[in-house]
Amino acid sequence: EQTVYLHRLRTNPPPIFRKGVNLDRPTCLAGLEIFTKDHPENYIQLNDREYEKRVKEVASAKSDSERKVACRKAVEYLMTTHRLIPLGEMFFSTLASPKFTGWTLNSLNQLDLTDLKAL
């Protein structure tokens, strides 16, 4: 089923669809790069020079505050051009053995085992 779905998204995507993709690192830039013209998971087939320019601005930002501003502008561009429609928060169930403590999930739902301990 997933193979058929991905084939359809690559060849003839519907006007509206939902497809989650994984980030290769927990940064705004990683999320934005997915929608660049040559990214293999750019299922919306976006090829927009203005957007590419905005992604480069995020990549070349010198400070965290510059990066945040540039990232916000790029995301707003995706939304105002109706390329990305926010669907709200998503919630996940997690099954964890009570014998382990010190694990956390960050804001991108990535597992952090830095302080993991077994009781």
Side-chain angles (χ1 to χ4, degrees):
E1 294 174 14
Q2 183 71 358
T3 304
V4 172
Y5 183 57
L6 291 177
H7 176 73
R8 176 149 187 236
L9 290 182
R10 288 186 179 107
T11 58
N12 187 23
I16 295 177
F17 61 90
R18 181 176 178 170
K19 173 69 177 100
V21 294
N22 294 319
L23 300 180
D24 62 0
R25 58 199 187 284
T27 65
C28 178
L29 181 58
L32 295 172
E33 287 172 341
I34 292 168
F35 300 103
T36 56
K37 66 179 176 170
D38 295 325
H39 195 281
E41 293 181 299
N42 178 7
Y43 297 115
I44 65 172
Q45 301 175 3
L46 184 61
N47 185 358
D48 183 320
R49 286 184 185 172
E50 178 63 26
Y51 180 72
E52 299 284 332
K53 178 182 154 199
R54 290 171 188 256
V55 173
K56 286 179 184 169
E57 288 172 4
V58 175
S60 65
K62 304 275 189 254
S63 67
D64 284 342
S65 59
E66 255 184 61
R67 202 170 357 273
K68 282 183 180 180
V69 169
C71 181
R72 169 56 61 194
K73 287 181 180 179
V75 170
E76 286 174 354
Y77 181 79
L78 283 175
M79 290 190 299
T80 58
T81 57
H82 308 293
R83 304 283 185 18
L84 179 69
I85 302 167
L87 298 175
E89 272 188 86
M90 291 187 67
F91 297 93
F92 298 92
S93 296
T94 304
L95 181 61
S97 172
K99 72 178 187 177
F100 293 103
T101 62
W103 62 271
T104 59
L105 293 173
N106 71 14
S107 61
L108 295 174
N109 285 322
Q110 291 179 317
L111 184 61
D112 180 357
L113 300 176
T114 305
D115 300 318
L116 185 67
K117 293 180 181 75
L119 299 176

Coordinates of all heavy atoms in Angstrom, one line a residue, residues 37-86:
K37 N 13.4 21.9 -4.6 CA 13.1 21.2 -5.9 C 13.7 19.9 -6.1 O 13.2 19.0 -6.7 CB 13.4 22.1 -7.0 CG 14.8 22.5 -7.2 CD 15.1 23.4 -8.4 CE 16.5 23.7 -8.4 NZ 17.0 24.3 -9.5
D38 N 14.9 19.7 -5.5 CA 15.6 18.4 -5.8 C 15.5 17.4 -4.6 O 16.1 16.3 -4.7 CB 17.1 18.7 -6.0 CG 17.3 19.5 -7.3 OD1 16.5 19.3 -8.3 OD2 18.2 20.3 -7.4
H39 N 14.8 17.7 -3.6 CA 14.7 16.8 -2.5 C 13.8 15.6 -2.9 O 12.7 15.8 -3.4 CB 14.1 17.5 -1.2 CG 14.3 16.7 0.0 ND1 13.5 15.6 0.4 CD2 15.2 16.8 1.0 CE1 13.9 15.1 1.5 NE2 15.0 15.8 1.9
P40 N 14.2 14.3 -2.6 CA 13.5 13.2 -3.0 C 12.1 13.0 -2.3 O 11.2 12.4 -2.9 CB 14.3 12.0 -2.6 CG 15.3 12.5 -1.7 CD 15.5 14.0 -1.9
E41 N 11.9 13.7 -1.2 CA 10.6 13.6 -0.5 C 9.7 14.9 -0.8 O 8.8 15.1 0.0 CB 10.8 13.3 0.9 CG 11.3 11.9 1.2 CD 11.5 11.6 2.6 OE1 12.3 12.3 3.3 OE2 10.9 10.6 3.0
N42 N 10.0 15.7 -1.8 CA 9.3 16.8 -2.1 C 8.0 16.4 -2.9 O 7.9 16.6 -4.1 CB 10.1 17.8 -2.9 CG 9.4 19.0 -3.4 OD1 8.2 19.3 -3.0 ND2 10.0 19.8 -4.2
Y43 N 7.1 15.8 -2.2 CA 5.9 15.1 -2.8 C 5.0 16.2 -3.4 O 4.2 15.8 -4.3 CB 5.2 14.2 -1.9 CG 6.1 13.1 -1.4 CD1 6.4 12.9 -0.1 CD2 6.5 12.1 -2.3 CE1 7.2 11.9 0.3 CE2 7.3 11.0 -1.9 CZ 7.6 10.9 -0.6 OH 8.4 9.9 -0.2
I44 N 5.0 17.4 -2.9 CA 4.2 18.4 -3.5 C 4.8 19.0 -4.8 O 4.2 19.8 -5.5 CB 3.8 19.6 -2.5 CG1 5.1 20.4 -2.2 CG2 3.1 19.0 -1.3 CD1 4.8 21.6 -1.3
Q45 N 6.0 18.5 -5.2 CA 6.7 18.9 -6.4 C 6.9 20.4 -6.5 O 6.7 21.0 -7.6 CB 6.0 18.3 -7.6 CG 5.9 16.8 -7.5 CD 5.1 16.2 -8.7 OE1 4.6 16.8 -9.6 NE2 4.9 14.9 -8.6
L46 N 7.2 21.0 -5.4 CA 7.4 22.5 -5.4 C 8.7 22.8 -6.1 O 9.7 22.2 -5.9 CB 7.5 23.0 -3.9 CG 7.6 24.5 -3.7 CD1 6.4 25.2 -4.3 CD2 7.8 24.8 -2.2
N47 N 8.6 23.7 -7.0 CA 9.8 24.2 -7.7 C 9.6 25.7 -7.8 O 9.0 26.2 -8.8 CB 9.9 23.6 -9.1 CG 11.1 24.0 -9.8 OD1 11.9 24.8 -9.4 ND2 11.3 23.5 -11.0
D48 N 10.0 26.4 -6.8 CA 9.7 27.9 -6.6 C 11.0 28.6 -6.3 O 11.6 28.4 -5.2 CB 8.7 28.0 -5.5 CG 8.2 29.4 -5.3 OD1 9.0 30.3 -5.3 OD2 7.0 29.6 -5.0
R49 N 11.4 29.5 -7.2 CA 12.7 30.2 -7.0 C 12.7 31.1 -5.7 O 13.7 31.2 -5.0 CB 13.0 31.1 -8.2 CG 13.5 30.3 -9.4 CD 13.8 31.3 -10.5 NE 14.1 30.5 -11.7 CZ 14.4 31.0 -12.8 NH1 14.3 32.3 -13.0 NH2 14.6 30.2 -13.8
E50 N 11.5 31.7 -5.4 CA 11.4 32.5 -4.2 C 11.6 31.7 -3.0 O 12.3 32.1 -2.0 CB 10.1 33.2 -4.2 CG 9.8 34.1 -3.0 CD 10.8 35.3 -2.8 OE1 11.3 35.8 -3.8 OE2 11.0 35.7 -1.7
Y51 N 11.0 30.5 -3.0 CA 11.1 29.6 -1.8 C 12.6 29.2 -1.7 O 13.1 29.1 -0.6 CB 10.2 28.4 -1.9 CG 10.3 27.5 -0.8 CD1 9.9 27.9 0.5 CD2 11.0 26.3 -0.9 CE1 10.0 27.0 1.6 CE2 11.1 25.4 0.2 CZ 10.6 25.8 1.4 OH 10.8 25.0 2.5
E52 N 13.2 28.8 -2.8 CA 14.6 28.3 -2.7 C 15.5 29.4 -2.2 O 16.4 29.2 -1.4 CB 15.1 28.0 -4.1 CG 14.3 26.8 -4.8 CD 14.7 25.4 -4.3 OE1 15.8 25.2 -3.8 OE2 13.8 24.6 -4.3
K53 N 15.2 30.7 -2.5 CA 16.0 31.8 -2.0 C 15.8 31.9 -0.5 O 16.8 32.2 0.2 CB 15.5 33.1 -2.7 CG 16.1 34.4 -2.2 CD 15.5 35.6 -2.9 CE 15.7 36.8 -2.1 NZ 14.8 37.8 -2.4
R54 N 14.6 31.7 0.0 CA 14.3 31.8 1.4 C 15.0 30.7 2.2 O 15.5 30.9 3.3 CB 12.8 31.8 1.7 CG 12.1 33.1 1.2 CD 10.6 33.0 1.2 NE 10.0 34.1 0.6 CZ 9.5 35.1 1.3 NH1 9.5 35.1 2.6 NH2 8.9 36.1 0.6
V55 N 15.1 29.5 1.6 CA 15.8 28.4 2.3 C 17.3 28.7 2.4 O 17.9 28.5 3.4 CB 15.5 27.1 1.5 CG1 16.4 25.9 2.1 CG2 14.0 26.7 1.6
K56 N 17.8 29.3 1.3 CA 19.2 29.7 1.3 C 19.5 30.7 2.4 O 20.6 30.7 3.0 CB 19.7 30.2 0.0 CG 19.8 29.0 -1.0 CD 20.3 29.5 -2.4 CE 20.3 28.3 -3.3 NZ 20.5 28.7 -4.7
E57 N 18.6 31.6 2.6 CA 18.7 32.6 3.7 C 18.8 32.0 5.1 O 19.5 32.4 5.9 CB 17.6 33.6 3.6 CG 17.6 34.6 2.4 CD 16.4 35.5 2.3 OE1 15.5 35.4 3.1 OE2 16.3 36.2 1.3
V58 N 18.0 31.0 5.3 CA 18.0 30.2 6.5 C 19.4 29.6 6.7 O 20.0 29.6 7.7 CB 16.9 29.2 6.7 CG1 17.0 28.4 7.9 CG2 15.5 29.9 6.6
A59 N 19.8 28.9 5.6 CA 21.1 28.2 5.7 C 22.3 29.1 5.9 O 23.3 28.7 6.6 CB 21.3 27.4 4.4
S60 N 22.2 30.3 5.4 CA 23.4 31.2 5.6 C 23.2 32.2 6.7 O 24.1 33.1 6.9 CB 23.5 32.0 4.3 OG 22.4 32.9 4.0
A61 N 22.2 32.1 7.6 CA 22.0 33.0 8.7 C 23.2 32.8 9.6 O 23.7 31.7 9.9 CB 20.7 32.6 9.4
K62 N 23.7 34.0 10.2 CA 24.9 34.0 11.0 C 24.6 33.7 12.5 O 25.4 33.3 13.2 CB 25.5 35.4 10.9 CG 25.9 35.7 9.5 CD 27.2 35.1 9.1 CE 27.7 35.7 7.8 NZ 27.6 34.7 6.7
S63 N 23.3 34.0 12.9 CA 23.0 33.8 14.3 C 21.7 33.1 14.5 O 20.9 32.9 13.5 CB 22.9 35.2 15.0 OG 21.8 35.9 14.5
D64 N 21.5 32.6 15.7 CA 20.2 31.9 16.0 C 19.0 32.8 15.7 O 18.0 32.3 15.2 CB 20.2 31.4 17.4 CG 21.0 30.1 17.6 OD1 21.4 29.5 16.6 OD2 21.3 29.8 18.7
S65 N 19.1 34.0 16.1 CA 17.9 34.9 16.0 C 17.7 35.2 14.5 O 16.5 35.2 14.0 CB 18.1 36.2 16.7 OG 19.3 36.9 16.3
E66 N 18.7 35.4 13.7 CA 18.6 35.5 12.2 C 18.0 34.3 11.6 O 17.1 34.4 10.8 CB 20.0 35.7 11.6 CG 20.3 37.1 11.2 CD 21.7 37.1 10.5 OE1 21.8 36.5 9.4 OE2 22.6 37.8 11.0
R67 N 18.4 33.1 12.1 CA 17.9 31.9 11.6 C 16.4 31.7 11.9 O 15.6 31.3 11.0 CB 18.7 30.7 12.2 CG 18.7 29.5 11.4 CD 19.7 28.4 11.9 NE 20.6 28.7 12.9 CZ 21.8 29.3 12.8 NH1 22.2 29.6 11.6 NH2 22.6 29.5 13.8
K68 N 16.0 32.1 13.1 CA 14.6 32.0 13.5 C 13.7 32.9 12.6 O 12.7 32.5 12.2 CB 14.4 32.3 15.0 CG 14.8 31.3 15.9 CD 14.5 31.7 17.3 CE 14.9 30.6 18.3 NZ 14.6 31.0 19.7
V69 N 14.2 34.1 12.4 CA 13.4 35.0 11.6 C 13.3 34.5 10.1 O 12.2 34.5 9.5 CB 14.0 36.5 11.6 CG1 13.4 37.4 10.6 CG2 13.9 37.1 13.0
A70 N 14.4 34.1 9.6 CA 14.4 33.6 8.2 C 13.6 32.3 8.1 O 12.8 32.1 7.1 CB 15.8 33.3 7.7
C71 N 13.6 31.5 9.1 CA 12.8 30.2 9.1 C 11.3 30.6 9.1 O 10.5 30.0 8.3 CB 13.2 29.4 10.2 SG 12.2 27.8 10.2
R72 N 10.9 31.5 10.0 CA 9.5 31.9 10.1 C 9.0 32.4 8.8 O 7.9 32.1 8.3 CB 9.4 32.9 11.2 CG 8.0 33.6 11.3 CD 6.8 32.7 11.4 NE 6.8 31.9 12.6 CZ 6.0 30.9 12.7 NH1 5.1 30.5 11.8 NH2 6.0 30.1 13.8
K73 N 9.9 33.2 8.1 CA 9.5 33.8 6.8 C 9.3 32.7 5.8 O 8.3 32.8 5.0 CB 10.5 34.8 6.3 CG 10.4 36.1 7.1 CD 11.5 37.1 6.6 CE 11.4 38.4 7.4 NZ 12.4 39.4 6.9
A74 N 10.1 31.7 5.8 CA 10.0 30.6 4.8 C 8.8 29.8 5.0 O 8.0 29.5 4.1 CB 11.3 29.8 4.8
V75 N 8.5 29.5 6.3 CA 7.3 28.7 6.6 C 6.0 29.5 6.3 O 5.1 29.0 5.7 CB 7.3 28.3 8.1 CG1 6.0 27.7 8.5 CG2 8.4 27.3 8.4
E76 N 6.0 30.8 6.6 CA 4.9 31.7 6.3 C 4.7 31.7 4.8 O 3.5 31.7 4.3 CB 5.1 33.1 6.9 CG 4.9 33.1 8.4 CD 5.2 34.5 9.0 OE1 5.7 35.4 8.3 OE2 5.0 34.6 10.2
Y77 N 5.8 31.7 4.0 CA 5.6 31.7 2.6 C 4.9 30.5 2.1 O 4.1 30.5 1.2 CB 7.0 31.9 1.9 CG 7.0 31.9 0.4 CD1 6.6 33.0 -0.3 CD2 7.3 30.7 -0.3 CE1 6.6 33.1 -1.6 CE2 7.2 30.8 -1.7 CZ 6.9 31.9 -2.4 OH 6.8 31.9 -3.7
L78 N 5.3 29.3 2.6 CA 4.7 28.1 2.3 C 3.2 28.1 2.6 O 2.3 27.6 1.8 CB 5.3 26.9 3.0 CG 6.6 26.4 2.5 CD1 7.1 25.3 3.4 CD2 6.5 25.9 1.1
M79 N 2.8 28.7 3.7 CA 1.4 28.8 4.1 C 0.6 29.8 3.3 O -0.5 29.5 2.9 CB 1.3 29.0 5.6 CG 1.8 27.9 6.4 SD 1.4 28.0 8.2 CE 2.3 29.4 8.7
T80 N 1.2 31.0 3.0 CA 0.4 32.0 2.3 C 0.3 31.6 0.8 O -0.6 32.1 0.2 CB 1.1 33.4 2.4 OG1 2.4 33.3 1.9 CG2 1.0 33.9 3.8
T81 N 1.2 30.8 0.3 CA 1.0 30.3 -1.1 C 0.2 29.0 -1.1 O 0.1 28.4 -2.2 CB 2.4 30.1 -1.7 OG1 3.2 29.2 -1.0 CG2 3.1 31.4 -1.9
H82 N -0.3 28.6 0.0 CA -1.2 27.4 0.1 C -0.5 26.1 -0.2 O -1.1 25.2 -0.8 CB -2.5 27.6 -0.7 CG -3.2 28.9 -0.4 ND1 -3.8 29.1 0.9 CD2 -3.3 30.0 -1.1 CE1 -4.3 30.3 0.9 NE2 -4.0 30.9 -0.3
R83 N 0.8 26.1 0.0 CA 1.6 24.8 -0.2 C 1.6 23.9 1.0 O 1.8 22.8 0.9 CB 3.0 25.2 -0.6 CG 3.1 26.1 -1.8 CD 2.9 25.4 -3.1 NE 3.1 26.0 -4.4 CZ 3.7 27.1 -4.8 NH1 4.4 27.8 -3.9 NH2 3.8 27.5 -6.0
L84 N 1.4 24.6 2.2 CA 1.5 23.8 3.4 C 0.3 24.3 4.3 O 0.1 25.5 4.5 CB 2.8 24.1 4.1 CG 3.0 23.5 5.5 CD1 3.2 22.0 5.3 CD2 4.3 24.1 6.1
I85 N -0.5 23.4 4.7 CA -1.7 23.7 5.6 C -1.4 23.1 6.9 O -1.4 21.8 7.0 CB -3.0 23.2 4.9 CG1 -3.1 23.7 3.5 CG2 -4.2 23.5 5.8 CD1 -4.2 23.1 2.7
P86 N -1.2 23.9 8.0 CA -1.0 23.3 9.3 C -2.2 22.6 9.8 O -3.3 23.1 9.7 CB -0.6 24.5 10.2 CG -0.9 25.7 9.4 CD -1.2 25.3 8.0

